[in-house]
Amino acid sequence: MTNADRSSLEHTWSQVDDYLNQMLIPSDPLLEQTLRRNTEAGLPAHDVAPNQGKFLQLLLQIHGSARVLELGTLGAYSTIWMARALPEHGKIVTLEADPHHAEIARTNLVQAGLIDKVDLRIGPALTTLPDVQEDYREPFDLIFIDADKPSNPDYLRWALRLSRPGSLIIGDNIVRDGEVIHAESTDPRVQGVRQFLKLIADHPRLEATALQTVGSKGYDGLVIARVIA
């Protein structure tokens, strides 16, 4: 495929995303302002797309999730989508390694009127997760893993400690523009995802599937695992 062909495909993917969003997801000034604030603050453009945010929101509602753990807050765009799906007593614990990102996330959550539903913790997830385990004795209903990919295998081990039978574990950005199929890749993000998927596939407590996605965020995908024991 030539660069021109790839560019044309990506343009079509984005146009289709725009069409689907316009058809199915009403304009939301608060979420749009969240994305603008993230951009103006210099945060990387790693937020989920609107249709992906809505997917997470619907998944929480279908599953009846009240206790959610998110690894990788960024500017809290996905956090807002999920927090809106929580019941009155619900809570999201979200972990962000970068203090600047966390500062912008807190501003966005305050503006969204959701700060009381969110426990935002700052620091590397592998450092803060032991405290989460200590502070939240009840297992989480849903765990969304969207942080640094080399640490995904460790995040999965923690997710299993903090979950229960019936909990959902979602891992984002697993296709890596197709690079995930290359066992010889020297990219630590690719290797982290590959080990993550292998652990899921081999684990007796999990059943799972994965979906490839294309759209305004490019070519990627996600894995959804259900804890069965």
Side-chain angles (χ1 to χ4, degrees):
M1 181 185 298
T2 67
N3 288 338
D5 290 337
R6 176 58 187 264
S7 178
S8 178
L9 268 179
E10 291 177 346
H11 180 65
T12 299
W13 297 343
S14 293
Q15 285 185 313
V16 172
D17 257 7
D18 290 344
Y19 167 73
L20 295 175
N21 290 336
Q22 290 168 13
M23 288 290 292
L24 300 174
I25 303 174
S27 176
D28 190 316
L30 189 143
L31 283 169
E32 292 161 8
Q33 176 59 39
T34 295
L35 290 178
R36 284 195 296 271
R37 188 177 290 115
N38 291 353
T39 300
E40 291 166 1
L43 272 61
H46 294 163
D47 306 281
V48 299
N51 50 1
Q52 294 168 340
K54 184 67 174 182
F55 170 77
L56 289 170
Q57 188 180 85
L58 288 173
L59 192 60
L60 264 69
Q61 292 168 330
I62 292 166
H63 187 243
S65 300
R67 296 178 299 277
V68 176
L69 174 62
E70 178 182 46
L71 280 64
T73 315
L74 194 61
Y77 182 73
S78 56
T79 319
I80 291 171
W81 274 107
M82 292 190 288
R84 286 177 167 182
L86 292 175
E88 186 173 347
H89 63 283
K91 194 82 169 183
I92 292 184
V93 181
T94 185
L95 312 181
E96 175 53 50
D98 188 301
H100 175 58
H101 296 176
E103 178 185 357
I104 302 304
R106 186 173 297 280
T107 298
N108 288 332
L109 290 165
V110 169
Q111 291 296 317
L114 293 167
I115 193 65
D116 290 342
K117 284 191 172 293
V118 180
D119 180 358
L120 172 59
R121 302 199 173 198
I122 305 171
L126 294 178
T127 301
T128 54
L129 279 165
D131 292 333
V132 171
Q133 184 179 37
E134 179 67 24
D135 295 341
Y136 290 87
R137 296 306 178 92
E138 287 190 81
F140 290 95
D141 303 315
L142 185 144
I143 299 170
F144 181 43
I145 300 173
D146 191 20
D148 61 303
K149 308 314 170 192
S151 298
N152 268 10
D154 290 322
Y155 295 152
L156 178 64
R157 296 182 185 100
W158 270 104
L160 287 163
R161 291 176 201 151
L162 298 172
S163 59
R164 57 165 176 81
S167 293
L168 299 181
I169 301 171
I170 304 170
D172 201 12
N173 308 125
I174 63 159
V175 172
R176 316 299 309 171
D177 205 27
E179 291 299 309
V180 72
I181 65 172
H182 296 137
E184 72 284 359
S185 174
T186 59
D187 187 334
R189 296 167 298 181
V190 172
Q191 291 300 333
V193 168
R194 286 179 60 87
Q195 294 170 35
F196 177 58
L197 294 172
K198 183 69 164 59
L199 286 170
I200 291 173
D202 292 345
H203 206 286
R205 291 184 59 205
L206 296 174
E207 61 177 2
T209 190
L211 301 173
Q212 299 183 78
T213 60
V214 296
S216 59
K217 306 301 290 186
Y219 174 33
D220 217 318
L222 54 86
V223 61
I224 302 178
R226 177 175 174 266
V227 181
I228 58 176

